[in-house]
Amino acid sequence: MIAHLVNTDAREGEIYIWPISYKRFQWRRWRLPSKLILLFTPLIVLPVVIGFYYFADAYNRSNRETVSNYSQQALQYIGEKIDLELSKYETISKQMFNDPELQRLLMEKPKDRYEQVNLTQQIMDRMNLFFSGEERQYVRACVILTPQNRYKFGNEDPLGSTESNVPLFKMISDAGGKNVWFGPDALPIYNPVFILARSIRNYDLQEIAKLYIAIDTQMVSDLFNDTNLGQGASIQLIGVNQAILSDNGIHLVSDSERPLRITTLLKHNKWTISAVLPLRETYVIIRRMSLMAIWISLICVSIELFVTYWFGIDVIIPVRKLLVNMRLGIKGTKPEELQKFPGAVEIRELNDTFISVMFEIHHLIDEVVKNQTLKREAEIKLLQNQLSPHFLYNTLNSIRWMAMIQQQDNIKEMVDSLIKLLTYSLRNTNQLVELGEELAVLRDYVAIQKVRYQNFTFSVQVETELYKLRLLKFIVQPLIENSLIHGLSSAGQMGEIGLHAFVQNQKLHIEIADNGIGMSETDLDSLNAELRSESSEKIGLRNIHDRIRLLYGNDYGLLLDSKLQAGTRVTVVLPIISEGEREESRL
């Protein structure tokens, strides 16, 4: 069968057809190793890949969830610590806002430079009281700005000139004494500090000064670094306008590994803490698992190929050798030349059975050839033996006419019986006759023999319904002749020969028994051996036995039984053949 594919890449208006033969893709034409590899590979690799995919996905989601929960708690903890630190500075600013002495000093108006210096020293000493603890570590400056003067605690002034910070100061005044937070992004000139500012008012709520405290952003960075969020985590403090106020110095270059992002909000100033976790370790584990899955798949495929190889050695190659043996056996190769090979037990047993069958076939062929040869030899011997009866028949005819001329009736009767006997024997020896006809001829033969052997009797015991059974002609007469010559001729008593026919085990049995001298056990064994041998010089019993076996098979033939001085019994075993039934149907 030929199918075609259309080339869709052809130029417009053109169709190119490729012929494809599907025979090469037919499943039945594939060799067994190819089928095994094609079937086993998906069965082995797909479960590994699918199982790894679901396991890695579940592990990834579980790990992200666990890390997210932990990081959220850690980030909230950082936010609480930052809020706590910021609240300390708010407390200081509130104490300064509510300090009566500081308010009194700020409202004094010095008269000369000396009083101004003295007042400045008193205000500085007062401010120093508020920064005596750990809070002083990150305070870079504390500035009180009055309409007349600027009082600075520390060596820096992050806001600088008043003119450049008018918007900031306006926001401080507008807050009405509340805390105002500024990040580094709000300063005119960038300075890494946080500004906590508020206005100081008197009892009439009139602004008498502006207070701002500059806190180093390192405070937040140290808090970030003190928190374990994992190696490579980036933490940032982001202002209201999304500007980065402080970080831990780590910046992620790429987000190809889908980093985990979490945020938390500070209570005091609405700033946001954002943390980005790369989850590098998680993906390293997943990569290791992926590599392990690949190795497992390769190992499974290797095992599959190894199993297929051994399956081929154990099954496929022996099957092919068995096929070769069968083809050679069909072509006539001798069984001993067929090959025996290792492999699966069942295939070896099948090969041994085939070789045994071939041995049996060759044995049967040899048997058929031998039987045909023996049959041909028996026919030749029979033809040779028929030459003498023809000559004797003609001679007896002459004697009969002489007896009639001389009126010798007893001689005529004997010659008539002999002529009937010879006429019966000269007909086709392979023709089947009825048992009754065979018995009639036997009586003529006994009548002739009584002229010579007068001291014996012949009795027949056969049921009437057996007379119509058919058998080979002239197979009982030689047995009676053997009884007369070898059994009764040397006996010193009245001889008896009995013929008994009966059916037993679906076979016809004809027994010829005499009370003659019999034979010893050694002679009986020798005679039975003659019947079983493949070649023999004896014509009588062996001829009858071979004729029966050649025509009907090895289940039929002669059975001998004899005892010394007790007589001999010969049993002819024949198939039951009714009138009109062909002998071939019994073979």
Side-chain angles (χ1 to χ4, degrees):
M1 181 182 293
I2 302 296
H4 298 85
L5 289 181
V6 177
N7 184 5
T8 56
D9 295 333
R11 289 176 295 178
E12 185 177 0
E14 296 182 358
I15 297 178
Y16 181 73
I17 299 178
W18 292 330
I20 294 180
S21 175
Y22 282 112
K23 287 185 177 180
R24 68 179 62 182
F25 299 108
Q26 288 180 359
W27 177 257
R28 294 180 181 177
R29 297 176 63 89
W30 288 23
R31 292 290 184 180
L32 189 56
S34 302
K35 291 182 178 180
L36 291 176
I37 294 175
L38 185 63
L39 290 175
F40 285 164
T41 300
L43 292 178
I44 294 175
V45 175
L46 285 181
V48 175
V49 174
I50 294 174
F52 165 74
Y53 171 77
Y54 282 105
F55 176 77
D57 183 67
Y59 174 81
N60 186 28
R61 285 188 282 105
S62 174
N63 191 67
R64 286 180 68 91
E65 184 177 354
T66 302
V67 173
S68 177
N69 292 336
Y70 169 77
S71 302
Q72 189 69 41
Q73 294 176 1
L75 204 62
Q76 289 178 356
Y77 174 73
I78 295 175
E80 291 175 357
K81 291 189 70 174
I82 293 176
D83 278 329
L84 179 62
E85 292 295 327
L86 296 180
S87 65
K88 291 180 181 179
Y89 295 106
E90 288 184 350
T91 301
I92 293 174
S93 68
K94 186 177 181 180
Q95 291 174 351
M96 297 177 69
F97 175 83
N98 294 324
D99 185 34
E101 180 63 21
L102 183 60
Q103 290 185 12
R104 183 188 66 79
L105 293 173
L106 292 175
M107 288 187 294
E108 286 187 3
K109 296 180 181 180
K111 297 178 179 179
D112 52 27
R113 185 172 180 80
Y114 174 77
E115 288 183 359
Q116 180 64 45
V117 172
N118 187 34
L119 177 61
T120 300
Q121 185 62 42
Q122 291 181 10
I123 291 175
M124 296 300 296
D125 291 340
R126 194 66 184 174
M127 291 172 63
N128 192 37
L129 294 175
F130 295 103
F131 295 100
S132 59
E134 297 178 356
E135 298 80 4
R136 190 169 182 175
Q137 176 182 357
Y138 296 106
V139 174
R140 294 174 58 178
C142 179
V143 179
I144 297 177
L145 183 62
T146 63
Q148 296 81 20
N149 207 348
R150 180 188 298 269
Y151 303 98
K152 181 176 65 174
F153 174 79
N155 299 322
E156 299 181 15
D157 187 358
L159 293 183
S161 63
T162 304
E163 292 79 8
S164 61
N165 293 291
V166 171
L168 298 181
F169 291 144
K170 185 176 185 304
M171 291 177 61
I172 295 172
S173 299
D174 292 343
K178 295 181 180 179
N179 292 319
V180 181
W181 285 93
F182 301 105
D185 59 316
L187 303 180
I189 300 176
Y190 181 83
N191 201 336
V193 293
F194 303 122
I195 302 297
L196 172 60
R198 69 190 309 167
S199 62
I200 300 176
R201 299 176 181 269
N202 58 17
Y203 293 107
D204 296 330
L205 300 179
Q206 297 296 320
E207 184 181 80
I208 58 176
K210 293 181 177 64
L211 168 67
Y212 58 90
I213 304 173
I215 305 168
D216 196 340
T217 56
Q218 187 64 36
M219 175 197 71
V220 176
S221 298
D222 290 343
L223 291 176
F224 286 165
N225 294 328
D226 289 342
T227 303
N228 184 16
L229 273 182
Q231 186 177 3
S234 174
I235 309 175
Q236 297 175 341
L237 180 63
I238 301 175
V240 178
N241 58 355
Q242 301 303 313
I244 299 175
L245 307 181
S246 180
D247 57 37
N248 63 344
I250 298 176
H251 302 279
L252 296 181
V253 178
S254 174
D255 58 353
S256 60
E257 294 179 343
R258 292 195 308 158
L260 180 64
R261 298 177 182 273
I262 53 176
T263 58
T264 186
L265 192 65
L266 296 182
K267 297 179 181 178
H268 289 78
N269 43 27
K270 306 303 180 182
W271 291 345
T272 302
I273 302 177
S274 175
V276 181
L277 283 75
L279 299 180
R280 190 174 296 109
E281 296 180 358
T282 301
Y283 285 100
V284 167
I285 295 175
I286 293 177
R287 290 193 191 96
R288 290 177 182 173
M289 294 170 59
S290 302
L291 185 60
M292 183 180 298
I294 293 173
W295 277 108
I296 292 175
S297 300
L298 292 176
I299 291 173
C300 292
V301 171
S302 301
I303 294 175
E304 170 209 349
L305 295 176
F306 181 76
V307 170
T308 303
Y309 171 75
W310 278 108
F311 187 80
I313 292 178
D314 209 35
V315 176
I316 299 173
I317 296 177
V319 167
R320 291 176 180 172
K321 292 182 178 180
L322 175 60
L323 182 60
V324 171
N325 274 356
M326 289 182 174
R327 289 173 177 171
L328 292 176
I330 292 173
K331 291 179 179 180
T333 303
K334 295 182 180 180
E336 56 269 16
E337 296 178 1
L338 297 179
Q339 182 183 6
K340 288 192 175 183
F341 44 81
V345 176
E346 294 80 2
I347 299 178
R348 285 192 282 110
E349 291 177 350
L350 186 60
N351 185 62
D352 293 341
T353 303
F354 174 74
I355 294 177
S356 300
V357 170
M358 294 305 298
F359 269 111
E360 188 68 24
I361 291 174
H362 277 259
H363 177 70
L364 291 175
I365 292 174
D366 292 340
E367 286 290 327
V368 170
V369 172
K370 291 177 182 178
N371 289 339
Q372 291 293 335
T373 303
L374 292 175
K375 185 176 181 180
R376 178 67 62 182
E377 291 176 355
E379 290 175 352
I380 293 173
K381 290 180 181 179
L382 184 60
L383 290 174
Q384 292 174 347
N385 293 334
Q386 286 177 350
L387 295 176
S388 295
H390 271 289
F391 175 75
L392 182 60
Y393 175 77
N394 294 328
T395 304
L396 288 175
N397 236 348
S398 299
I399 296 173
R400 178 177 179 274
W401 282 106
M402 291 176 63
M404 291 174 62
I405 294 171
Q406 298 179 10
Q407 297 182 351
Q408 297 291 329
D409 293 337
N410 56 344
I411 297 175
K412 175 183 174 295
E413 291 175 0
M414 187 181 69
V415 171
D416 286 340
S417 297
L418 185 56
I419 290 175
K420 291 179 183 179
L421 185 61
L422 290 175
T423 302
Y424 179 78
S425 66
L426 288 175
R427 285 185 290 174
N428 187 5
T429 55
N430 289 330
Q431 179 183 354
L432 296 181
V433 297
E434 293 182 354
L435 178 59
E437 185 179 358
E438 181 79 2
L439 294 177
V441 172
L442 287 178
R443 290 187 178 93
D444 288 333
Y445 174 74
V446 170
I448 294 173
Q449 293 298 329
K450 279 188 176 182
V451 175
R452 179 181 177 185
Y453 305 102
Q454 298 181 357
N455 58 340
F456 80 94
T457 61
F458 177 69
S459 61
V460 177
Q461 184 181 356
V462 179
E463 296 180 359
T464 306
E465 57 268 17
L466 300 181
Y467 275 51
K468 295 296 182 180
L469 296 182
R470 301 174 67 80
L471 71 161
L472 281 173
K473 64 186 297 186
F474 223 69
I475 60 174
V476 181
Q477 180 270 335
L479 303 180
I480 295 177
E481 182 178 359
N482 280 346
S483 296
L484 289 172
I485 297 174
H486 301 291
L488 302 180
S489 62
S490 302
Q493 57 183 357
M494 184 66 180
E496 296 180 358
I497 299 177
L499 186 148
H500 180 209
F502 58 92
V503 175
Q504 182 178 343
N505 296 329
Q506 301 298 318
K507 297 177 182 177
L508 175 62
H509 291 70
I510 302 176
E511 287 185 355
I512 296 91
D514 63 65
N515 63 345
I517 62 174
M519 66 184 77
S520 65
E521 187 173 346
T522 302
D523 293 337
L524 180 62
D525 292 340
S526 175
L527 186 57
N528 281 324
E530 287 284 342
L531 293 179
R532 291 192 299 269
S533 64
E534 295 184 358
S535 61
S536 175
E537 296 180 355
K538 298 183 180 296
I539 296 177
L541 293 178
R542 177 58 189 271
N543 195 338
I544 298 172
H545 185 67
D546 286 347
R547 287 175 63 198
I548 295 173
R549 288 168 65 87
L550 287 172
L551 188 60
Y552 299 121
N554 294 334
D555 291 338
Y556 304 95
L558 300 181
L559 301 177
L560 303 180
D561 184 23
S562 181
K563 290 185 180 180
L564 191 61
Q565 302 301 327
T568 302
R569 178 185 293 107
V570 179
T571 304
V572 182
V573 182
L574 300 171
I576 298 176
I577 302 176
S578 303
E579 183 178 2
E581 185 175 0
R582 294 176 58 86
E583 60 269 24
E584 288 83 354
S585 63
R586 294 288 177 173
L587 296 182

